[in-house]
Amino acid sequence: MLKEAEIRTFIDGATNYFETSVQQAASVGSPYLVIDGKPGSYEYTGIINISGARKGVVYFTARRAMLMVLLMRMHETDSSEETIKDLVGEVANTISGNARRDFGKNFLISVPTVIANEPDKVTAPHSRSYVIPINWRTHSAKLVVCLE
Amino acid sequence: METNSRSQASLKLLIVDDSNIIRRRIERSQQIARLEVVGSAGNGREAIDLFRRTQPDVVTMDLTMPEMDGIACVEQLVAINPKVLILVVSALADKATAVEAIEKGANGFLCKPFTDRQLNDALEELLTET
C-alpha cells in the first residue's frame, strides 16, 4: 500500500526525468489504483524489481514512437531495437533510483529487465498497483508502482 | 571497448555505465578539452580490466550494474591507483549512497538524470578541486 506522499515521489521522479533529460516537460495525469493485478503496458517496458525495506516492482512502459522521439531529443543517432530497450530500462532505473531520496538506502533496486512487444508478459506481483499516466508531446506512457 | 583518439588531451577518461545510451551521452557531452575518452565499460569487471589496460586519470562510474556494482568497483580502482579521480554518475539519489561512494574513494557524485551542463560542471569541479 502506498501513501500519497510516496506516490508523489514517483510523480516527481517522472517529471524530473523529462525536464532534465530532454528539457521538455511532461504532464502527469491523475494516478489511479488498479486492483485486478493487470495495470497494463505498451510495446516496451522497463521493469525494476524492488527489494529490501519494500518489495515489488516499478515499471515504465511506452510505445516505440515515444522512445524514438526521446532518443532524438537526446541527440542519440542509434535507434536500433537494442537502444530502444536500453532507453526504456534506463528511464525505469532512473525514476526508481531517484525514489531513494525519499525511501532511503534500503529501497533496493535491481538492474532493469526489459520486455518488448509482449505486453501480456508484463505482470504485477500483487493485485494492487498504482498507475501514473505520463503525457509528453503527443505521446502517452505509464509509470506503474506495485509495492507491498 | 577501447577508444582511440588523436586529441592532445592530457587526462584520460574511462566511462563506466551499463547503459550504452548513457555511455555515449557522456562521451558526446563532455566538452573539457583536456579530457580524452580512452574507453567505456558496461559493468564493474569490464571496467577493472579496461582500467588496467588504459590507465585513465578520471572515471565516471555508474552504481547499479550487473556483474559487479559501482561501489565495489570504486574500491578496486582506488586500490589499483589511489590517485584516480572518480565521478559517480548514478540515479541512486539518497545521501547515504553518496557518502558511501565518497568513503570508498570516489571524488564526486552526479545524480541522474543530468543535463550536459551539469555533467561538465561536475567534471570541471572534480578536476579543479581535487
Side-chain angles (χ1 to χ4, degrees), chain A residues 74 76 86 97-98 100 105, chain B residues 19-20 91 94 97 100 112:
Chain A
M74 292 173 172
E76 174 58 64
D86 185 1
N98 286 182
R100 281 177 46 150
K105 197 186 172 193
Chain B
S19 165
N20 227 335
D94 58 296
T97 298
E100 188 184 2
K112 292 179 186 174

Side-chain angles (χ1 to χ4, degrees), chain A residues 56-138:
Chain A
V57 300
V58 174
Y59 71 75
F60 173 77
T61 185
R63 291 191 180 94
R64 184 183 183 88
M66 179 180 187
L67 297 166
M68 295 273 283
V69 180
L70 268 172
L71 285 174
M72 283 183 227
R73 288 284 307 174
M74 292 173 172
H75 308 292
E76 174 58 64
T77 52
D78 179 354
S79 56
S80 65
E81 183 75 2
E82 273 316 298
T83 301
I84 289 173
K85 286 157 78 173
D86 185 1
L87 176 62
V88 80
E90 185 61 20
V91 177
N93 171 70
T94 304
I95 295 171
S96 305
N98 286 182
R100 281 177 46 150
R101 189 175 285 126
D102 298 324
F103 284 83
K105 197 186 172 193
N106 290 326
F107 186 80
L108 303 179
I109 69 169
S110 70
V111 293
T113 305
V114 174
I115 295 180
N117 304 309
E118 293 180 296
D120 293 344
K121 285 199 174 171
V122 180
T123 54
H126 315 297
S127 58
R128 296 167 69 90
S129 303
Y130 287 87
V131 179
I132 300 169
I134 299 168
N135 302 301
W136 178 70
R137 296 167 68 107
T138 58

